[in-house]
Amino acid sequence: MVNYKDLGLVNTRDMFAKAVKGGYAIPAFNFNNMEQMQAIIQASVETSSPVILQVSKGARNYANQTLLRYMAQGAVEYAKELGCEKPQIVLHLDHGDTFETCKSCVDFGFSSVMIDGSSLSFDENVAVTKKVVEYAHKFDVTVEGELGVLAGVEDDVVAEEHTYTRPEEVEEFVRRTGCDSLAISIGTSHGANKFKPEQCTRNAEGMLVPPPLEFSVLEACEKNLPGFPIVLHGSSSVPQEEIATINKYGGAMKDAIGIPEDQLRRAAKSAVCKINIDSDSRLAMTAAIREVFALKPAEFDPRKYLGPARENAKKLYKHKILDVLGSANKL
Ligand SMILES: [Zn+2]
């Protein structure tokens, strides 16, 4: 049993309360390896932003849960070394699928967990979320629940169609489960192909423009849960310059399209206090690596392509913090 407080990590409670009041959102960046973690910490230190390090099931399979936890512990020390006196870093389980998974993360030093019961019936979702909350709160670990289904693919979270959150259900869900934050579905989705071209319109330059988020659902949820922290998953914007670089240097990413950043900025100003971004950092890293491979085919030192990948990811993280989420200088 390891408590996150001994590792210098924090839970999401105060962070979210301040974010809801202040009209900004905390970035939740997924990480799977050292370079992503370094880029996230450098970006958050340089912008004085709180940050959520997010670990999915796929990340745990890829990198090993033990290693990831030690990396998060190292991230706290690394942030201090970079000059941040009191870093606010959350280690969060993304899409916990069972009570057992969530419990193992709580026992292992995570400061926040998500229990995703969104594929279950309402009552089953309430039951498993409540069970996780009762356990996690014993150790002051915060819990994110989910109502409504996001479309798209994220590791092994797959759904064909989205189902918007029903605002009439959110108050009862939060009251019965005691969860600390709630992920809702308003039209964001997982992955780099968030919309099919036939769902989009085209602008004057011929670029695909996705359908807008369903802000009426968000507003109704806020009305039924005043001041309660809301979370948006699947909120990468899929920067078209990264897609262009990837395709220019041999990639084949077709019709990749994300959530426009002005929509995310609007959401961040509301009760949305956590915005999940994963695909964008994958794209930034892939674009940088493809460019090195194409322009310097004799290169074989991983540092020579993972270094630029890390640099490009960091640039992206800083942009999100400064220009989209508004969490800079909130430490
Ligand atoms: Zn998600």
Side-chain angles (χ1 to χ4, degrees):
M1 180 85 208
V2 182
N3 190 279
Y4 68 89
K5 289 175 187 173
D6 298 329
L7 310 180
L9 299 165
V10 299
N11 69 20
T12 58
R13 196 170 293 120
D14 293 346
M15 198 181 270
F16 284 175
K18 279 171 71 180
V20 171
K21 247 192 215 145
Y24 60 93
I26 312 290
F29 297 131
N30 288 70
F31 84 112
N32 302 270
N33 61 32
M34 182 187 76
E35 283 78 10
Q36 278 177 319
M37 192 274 272
Q38 289 173 315
I40 294 168
I41 297 303
Q42 288 171 12
S44 59
V45 168
E46 287 174 25
T47 56
S48 291
S49 171
V51 72
I52 298 171
L53 291 173
Q54 198 155 260
V55 172
S56 68
K57 189 176 181 182
R60 282 163 36 238
N61 290 341
Y62 175 77
N64 178 283
Q65 178 165 309
T66 307
L67 270 179
L68 290 171
R69 197 270 279 167
Y70 278 99
M71 281 168 74
Q73 184 176 358
V76 175
E77 299 309 314
Y78 181 51
K80 288 181 187 163
E81 215 171 273
L82 293 175
C84 180
E85 264 176 53
K86 279 196 127 201
Q88 285 181 29
I89 300 172
V90 174
L91 178 61
H92 175 77
L93 169 69
D94 194 18
H95 291 286
D97 51 354
T98 60
F99 170 78
E100 287 70 29
T101 304
C102 293
K103 180 182 181 295
S104 90
C105 287
V106 170
D107 291 348
F108 203 59
F110 282 59
S111 59
S112 175
V113 293
M114 175 192 192
I115 173 71
D116 178 358
S118 62
S119 62
L120 305 171
S121 72
F122 183 81
D123 284 325
E124 289 170 325
N125 189 356
V126 166
V128 69
T129 305
K130 186 168 187 261
K131 193 173 172 191
V132 170
V133 168
E134 279 169 357
Y135 186 77
H137 280 186
K138 282 187 206 162
F139 307 97
D140 206 18
V141 169
T142 41
V143 178
E144 175 184 325
E146 177 164 346
L147 267 181
V149 178
L150 269 69
V153 183
E154 183 188 33
D155 292 342
D156 45 14
V157 181
V158 184
E160 277 289 316
E161 299 275 330
H162 71 241
T163 312
Y164 290 139
T165 304
R166 294 156 54 93
E168 61 274 25
E169 291 181 346
V170 296
E171 191 276 334
E172 184 188 344
F173 185 83
V174 167
R175 178 166 38 83
R176 284 173 61 190
T177 62
C179 66
D180 302 281
S181 60
L182 184 68
I184 64 169
S185 170
I186 60 167
T188 61
S189 65
H190 292 128
N193 292 74
K194 297 188 186 300
F195 304 97
K196 297 187 184 80
E198 54 269 29
Q199 291 173 287
C200 304
T201 51
R202 287 196 186 267
N203 67 12
E205 290 90 55
M207 300 254 290
L208 292 170
V209 179
L213 298 180
E214 199 52 68
F215 279 96
S216 64
V217 172
L218 173 60
E219 281 156 19
C221 289
E222 277 190 77
K223 208 174 136 228
N224 295 341
L225 285 173
F228 191 80
I230 302 286
V231 175
L232 288 189
H233 281 240
S235 296
S236 280
S237 55
V238 188
Q240 292 302 305
E241 63 274 22
E242 306 293 0
I243 299 291
T245 305
I246 289 170
N247 289 339
K248 178 177 171 191
Y249 294 116
M253 293 207 62
K254 211 172 162 275
D255 297 329
I257 189 155
I259 311 294
E261 290 187 332
D262 58 335
Q263 303 232 339
L264 296 171
R265 213 173 292 128
R266 180 174 162 195
K269 285 183 179 143
S270 72
V272 170
C273 64
K274 171 176 180 267
I275 292 188
N276 291 4
I277 295 164
D278 188 1
S279 296
D280 283 352
S281 93
R282 298 180 182 193
L283 294 170
M285 295 182 87
T286 300
I289 289 170
R290 278 201 174 276
E291 185 168 353
V292 174
F293 283 173
L295 300 181
K296 299 175 187 166
E299 192 55 73
F300 72 104
D301 179 346
R303 293 170 297 187
K304 297 287 165 58
Y305 52 87
L306 293 176
R310 178 175 63 195
E311 210 39 53
N312 207 33
K314 175 181 164 185
K315 202 175 102 195
L316 175 114
Y317 295 135
K318 284 181 82 167
H319 161 66
K320 296 287 177 185
I321 289 169
L322 291 165
D323 306 323
V324 185
L325 308 190
S327 63
N329 300 312
K330 304 296 183 187
L331 274 186

